[in-house]
Amino acid sequence: METTINDMVSSIERLSMASRDPNDSNKRKHNLLMSLEQQIASVIPEGEVSTDDNEMLEVPNAVVSQIIKLDCRPIGLGDDKIEKLREIIRLAKDFIGASSSVSRSFEPFFAGTRQIVAGTCVGLGRRSLGLTTTPFDLVIVDEAARCTASELLVPLQASRWTVMVGDHAQLQPHHEPAVVERVSRELKLKRSDILVSDFERVFCSPYAETGGFSLQRQYRMLPAINQIVSKTFYPGLNLSAGRHEPVLPPSVLEKILENEVAWVETDSLGKAGYETSPKGSSSKVNEAEADAIVGLIEKWVADDTVARWLESQTDYEAGIGVICMYAAQRDLLKRKLNMSCASRYLNKGLKVGTVDSYQGKENPIVILSLVRNNKNGLVVNGERSIREGFLIAPNRINVAFSRAMDRLFIVGNRNAWRPGTPIASAASEFSELASQGRATVISADTLIDRSIGNVEQEG
């Protein structure tokens, strides 16, 4: 198509222009006609075409007629068909250009000829694709609140209209700590101002009063989990649960927990429930929480109903997810699980990860290890509170609490958090649910001792 029809169309156009120009020489017109005849002869049998220099004005129609005869059926040749032919020719030219270049790749060809193109912000900015120089009518940026300024600018430069979708109440863009510290020091800016996303700047600006919109219904969490997340992290939004039926089979639910939320308390363990730091590391681990989590999972997989579901379900990457607030706690838990009867389920129904790796993910059952538990915080009501570390930032806590679909188990201290901090607020909402009989308190030492049955219902 590209090497035959396109050449003929171009020759016809040049010949038509020459025939209408009185200043164009007859010799040039003759040469154009001869060139066209050779092109036609390459696709139409000899003797089928007969033209004369004096009939140049009729050449376009004659050529069209001969091309139509190739298909042996009369068809109308309107502007729409001509334009379709040109589109096919352009497509062929793009294909040849993509496949004959030094850096052969079908990606530029496909990307340049599709109506919808999907990819990462940085990936779509690759020069070889040529997408940033071709404006799109609409660009939708998902997880925009996690984009750094440079990442966000890649899709924006190719957009006429832009829709940014994100949640600035969850994880912020990732910046290297050393870079943040240097920028803060040299430009005399607050760290919080550096870490805030451009999405949040726009969404919290006057422009958002007309150009912004907040969704008020989520479909991941069941109502009790939703209530904690909504009142703790989205005050005033009245976030509601759009799903009330669990995804877990009833036979599994009755083995896991009747209520949607449980807090596995380590308060009564004293110093045995405190955090520690591995040698040579600034990360944190909590042995008591890890033992309680392993005990909880061992209890579940010892039941044939739960074990069969965990092995057979294919709707989710993992039926049970364990979220750790620190990487060292994740590593500790994996080691302990590998030495337990639940080892066979690791990465095959049971996933252990950090909160930073969990945004955008979900599991029917989530166990959250808070890790932090100490007496190094401010004095509140005559008692030392917990020094929170980065758990003072609500974004990470929000992600951790909002990954569960049907059942959420929070493991850690419940009552020693400083009032007004994110976990203290979440604990307060939990206590409200517990007083209504909608949340369960479990003593951690019952799980660590592997003794089952000392589960108390608060309220």
Side-chain angles (χ1 to χ4, degrees):
M1 180 66 71
E2 163 63 16
T3 57
T4 56
I5 302 299
N6 188 35
D7 289 343
M8 283 191 284
V9 171
S10 299
S11 295
I12 291 171
E13 289 179 338
R14 290 195 298 271
L15 188 57
S16 296
M17 292 175 63
S19 66
R20 292 193 298 268
D21 187 355
N23 297 321
D24 218 327
S25 67
N26 288 332
K27 182 178 180 181
R28 180 173 181 274
K29 295 173 184 177
H30 176 76
N31 290 336
L32 288 172
L33 180 60
M34 293 300 294
S35 175
L36 178 58
E37 285 180 341
Q38 292 173 1
Q39 292 165 354
I40 294 172
S42 67
V43 293
I44 301 178
E46 187 176 355
E48 293 290 323
V49 178
S50 177
T51 56
D52 186 271
D53 288 10
N54 295 323
E55 298 174 348
M56 286 182 295
L57 291 175
E58 298 300 322
V59 166
N61 289 331
V63 172
V64 168
S65 297
Q66 296 298 332
I67 292 175
I68 291 173
K69 286 181 182 179
L70 285 176
D71 201 30
C72 299
R73 52 179 178 165
I75 57 174
L77 191 64
D79 291 341
D80 59 331
K81 290 185 173 63
I82 293 174
E83 184 54 37
K84 286 182 179 178
L85 178 61
R86 293 183 186 279
E87 287 180 5
I88 294 173
I89 291 169
R90 284 195 290 268
L91 192 65
K93 183 176 289 187
D94 288 340
F95 181 84
I96 290 175
S99 60
S100 62
S101 61
V102 175
S103 55
R104 289 185 181 88
S105 173
F106 286 115
E107 288 181 340
F109 169 71
F110 285 129
T113 56
R114 302 301 92 185
Q115 293 296 314
I116 300 176
V117 179
T120 62
C121 289
V122 175
L124 292 177
R126 284 159 43 202
R127 184 173 297 179
S128 61
L129 294 178
L131 292 176
T132 55
T133 58
T134 304
F136 285 81
D137 293 327
L138 174 66
V139 168
I140 302 173
V141 184
D142 191 21
E143 292 285 4
R146 288 224 67 190
C147 294
T148 62
S150 57
E151 290 169 341
L152 197 57
L153 282 173
V154 175
L156 292 187
Q157 66 180 319
S159 173
R160 291 190 178 98
W161 294 87
T162 303
V163 175
M164 294 193 294
V165 183
D167 185 354
H168 56 279
Q170 296 198 10
L171 293 182
Q172 295 176 311
H174 173 73
H175 298 282
E176 291 296 332
V179 174
V180 175
E181 291 299 332
R182 182 172 180 179
V183 171
S184 176
R185 182 176 63 255
E186 294 186 3
L187 299 183
K188 294 180 173 55
L189 295 173
K190 294 180 181 178
R191 292 183 74 257
S192 57
D193 291 338
I194 300 169
L195 294 174
V196 70
S197 68
D198 286 340
F199 174 89
E200 182 173 355
R201 297 182 206 277
V202 174
F203 197 81
C204 296
S205 71
Y207 174 79
E209 295 177 7
T210 55
F213 182 77
S214 293
L215 301 178
Q216 294 181 291
R217 181 171 296 175
Q218 59 79 27
Y219 292 88
R220 173 184 295 139
M221 302 168 282
L222 287 180
I225 307 171
N226 173 83
Q227 182 173 321
I228 295 176
V229 172
S230 174
K231 292 189 175 182
T232 303
F233 305 105
Y234 302 95
L237 184 59
N238 294 320
L239 187 67
S240 65
R243 184 176 65 87
H244 293 78
E245 295 298 323
V247 298
L248 288 169
S251 58
V252 174
L253 281 174
E254 67 181 24
K255 304 292 183 180
I256 300 297
L257 186 72
E258 180 181 355
N259 285 322
E260 296 165 12
V261 190
W263 200 301
V264 180
E265 283 189 349
T266 60
D267 302 45
S268 62
L269 298 178
K271 291 183 179 180
Y274 284 5
E275 76 206 42
T276 59
S277 293
K279 188 175 181 180
S281 172
S282 60
S283 191
K284 307 289 181 184
V285 296
N286 192 307
E287 291 273 354
E289 289 185 21
D291 289 338
I293 292 170
V294 171
L296 189 62
I297 295 173
E298 284 185 332
K299 170 189 171 183
W300 291 340
V301 299
D303 186 275
D304 289 342
T305 303
V306 178
R308 282 195 301 269
W309 171 78
L310 205 56
E311 292 175 343
S312 62
Q313 75 85 25
T314 57
D315 294 331
Y316 307 97
E317 180 185 357
I320 301 174
V322 182
I323 301 177
C324 304
M325 300 308 294
Y326 287 85
Q329 182 75 351
R330 172 202 61 198
D331 298 339
L332 174 64
L333 259 168
K334 285 186 176 181
R335 289 196 300 271
K336 287 180 175 289
L337 285 167
N338 268 320
M339 295 184 292
S340 74
C341 64
S343 60
R344 59 183 290 192
Y345 301 101
L346 264 179
N347 302 320
K348 297 178 182 178
L350 172 62
K351 177 185 177 182
V352 182
T354 62
V355 64
D356 288 346
S357 70
Y358 245 90
Q359 179 149 330
K361 300 177 182 177
E362 61 187 17
N363 299 112
I365 303 168
V366 166
I367 305 172
L368 170 59
S369 178
L370 298 177
V371 182
R372 280 283 191 173
N373 189 6
N374 55 64
K375 287 291 184 181
N376 301 326
L378 299 176
V379 176
V380 178
N381 297 326
E383 294 285 340
R384 284 278 183 184
S385 62
I386 295 172
R387 185 178 181 181
E388 307 91 352
F390 73 73
L391 270 64
I392 191 65
N395 303 71
R396 278 191 171 100
I397 312 302
N398 184 8
V399 172
F401 273 75
S402 61
R403 300 304 96 190
M405 300 175 67
D406 286 2
R407 294 295 182 266
L408 172 63
F409 290 79
I410 307 153
V411 182
N413 190 295
R414 180 162 73 101
N415 298 298
W417 301 93
R418 182 163 52 91
T421 57
I423 296 182
S425 299
S428 176
E429 293 300 329
F430 174 88
S431 296
E432 177 66 24
L433 288 170
S435 68
Q436 301 167 12
R438 298 173 59 201
T440 301
V441 178
I442 302 174
S443 178
D445 56 8
T446 64
L447 298 171
I448 294 172
D449 294 336
R450 305 295 189 268
S451 61
I452 301 169
N454 187 22
V455 178
E456 59 172 312
Q457 188 84 12
E458 187 173 283

